[in-house]
Amino acid sequence: MSAIDELPPLRDVIRTHGLSALKSLGQNFLLDLNLTSRVARTAGALEEMTVFEVGPGPGGLTRALLALGAKRVVAVERDSRCIAALNEVAAHYPGRLEIIEGDALATDFAPLAAGGRACIVANLPYNIGTPLLVGWLSAEPWPPFYESLTLMFQREVAERIVATPGTDHYGRLAVLTGWRAVARIAFDVAPSAFVPPPKVTSSVVHIVPRPVPLACDRRTLERVTEAAFGQRRKMLRQSLKSLGIDALALLEAAGIEPTERAEQVPVEGFVALANALVTLRAGQAPRQSVSPASS
Ligand code: SAM
């Protein structure tokens, strides 16, 4: 029995079900239920929420979410060895835990929320953390199906998510995040908290979507940040040439100095660049010839 429920301690669960950690699946388990409860509390009130969890593993965070009152947890786990252990958690919380054996990268969470309130909470496998986040931040339509993301990343990735202009970590991920959401690092977690311990410190990041981000086409914004940060030490008048457009005209239209570098430009500046790019391209597009209506 553990401190938060009547289920066996996680070490016993791991031993009983033979869940030796696999590096290929990014398995670094949290066995301290006080810590998993802290992660779950960071997500806020859960009573009315469907909580999506990626990679429940032996179920430490899953149990914390359920013990804290989550209305429903939908957990997607790729490792079939974990399913029997998770079924025991589901039996302890009848009707509140759905387990999906599959790849989170290939899972469309939005329909599973069925229009109800939802959030995402996960101790993410490191190898797929950034693609999952980019996918959730790229959701259409916006605002998305989730009210918040509470996610464990390597500290270095967490710093790239919350970075502000003028700092070394500021780049494409910070612009996408800052455009669509407000993000903060809630707390750090030492390597010793995990089994097996990873090489680096981790951080829990809390992300809340902006209801109305600045108007902008997401793909164009991505194209602009890719060009700008692709040569981040160069001035924008140089780096934006890769867009195949008059970079000086683009910068002038966006109201940005040609001598600025990508890392100095705030999110609003990139939005202005994306919108100016759409306008300039529309001006360059060959006029459609109007053919007479066929009789
Ligand atoms: N939530 C557990 C915890 O906190 O102890 C385990 C976290 S562990 C860092 C990452 C988990 O994600 C593992 O259980 C792993 O099997 C699972 N996983 C890895 N790749 C996955 C994928 N593509 N889709 C779903 N789960 C995945």
Side-chain angles (χ1 to χ4, degrees):
M1 186 172 130
S2 77
I4 65 164
D5 54 33
E6 285 78 43
L7 289 161
L10 285 159
R11 279 188 196 283
D12 293 356
V13 173
I14 286 174
R15 197 179 320 111
T16 308
H17 294 278
L19 303 180
S20 51
L22 297 174
K23 208 173 172 186
S24 59
L25 286 176
Q27 292 184 335
N28 300 97
F29 299 133
L30 287 174
L31 304 193
D32 177 351
L33 289 163
N34 290 316
L35 184 55
T36 58
S37 296
R38 191 174 173 201
V39 177
R41 279 197 306 275
T42 304
L46 300 174
E47 287 76 7
E48 293 178 21
M49 294 281 177
T50 291
V51 183
F52 293 104
E53 186 192 359
V54 171
L61 181 54
T62 321
R63 285 165 60 175
L65 292 164
L66 290 161
L68 281 169
K71 184 173 134 193
R72 173 181 172 232
V73 175
V74 178
V76 182
E77 173 57 62
R78 195 166 180 182
D79 185 352
S80 58
R81 299 177 309 159
C82 299
I83 304 302
L86 293 166
N87 279 333
E88 289 173 7
V89 180
H92 190 73
Y93 292 97
R96 291 172 58 202
L97 173 59
E98 288 162 41
I99 304 150
I100 299 175
E101 185 182 337
D103 181 352
L105 279 172
T107 305
D108 186 1
F109 292 93
L112 301 172
R117 297 184 63 190
C119 63
I120 301 176
V121 183
N123 172 17
L124 292 173
Y126 288 140
N127 48 344
I128 59 167
T130 306
L132 281 171
L133 175 63
V134 168
W136 291 326
L137 289 173
S138 304
E140 302 292 354
W142 198 268
F145 65 94
Y146 58 83
E147 292 182 22
S148 66
L149 306 171
T150 305
L151 305 171
M152 179 95 71
F153 290 97
Q154 289 164 280
R155 169 90 202 176
E156 187 268 339
V157 177
E159 284 171 343
R160 288 201 285 119
I161 294 166
V162 304
T164 51
T167 61
D168 283 348
H169 287 98
Y170 187 61
R172 293 173 64 189
L173 194 53
V175 174
L176 175 63
T177 309
W179 171 50
R180 282 207 144 164
V182 178
R184 67 181 173 90
I185 292 180
F187 59 93
D188 288 342
V189 181
S192 57
F194 298 86
V195 175
K199 289 201 175 66
V200 294
T201 296
S202 301
S203 302
V204 173
V205 180
H206 188 62
I207 300 174
V208 178
R210 293 183 195 278
V212 188
L214 293 170
C216 176
D217 173 61
R218 177 178 56 79
R219 287 181 199 284
T220 311
L221 183 67
E222 279 167 12
R223 244 169 254 136
V224 168
T225 54
E226 188 182 2
F229 287 105
Q231 303 177 70
R232 60 184 292 139
R233 303 280 168 222
K234 295 225 165 109
M235 293 179 193
L236 289 170
R237 68 180 180 209
Q238 179 63 32
S239 55
L240 294 182
K241 277 184 189 165
S242 63
L243 291 169
I245 199 154
D246 181 344
L248 286 176
L250 178 66
L251 285 157
E252 191 184 349
I256 294 174
E257 289 297 322
T259 51
E260 289 224 35
R261 291 175 169 78
E263 61 195 24
Q264 300 164 310
V265 177
V267 171
E268 297 76 17
F270 283 108
V271 168
L273 281 166
N275 288 333
L277 182 59
V278 171
T279 308
L280 284 182
R281 286 219 163 121
Q284 278 183 358
R287 290 259 166 88
Q288 297 255 313
S289 60
V290 182
S291 53
S294 54
S295 51

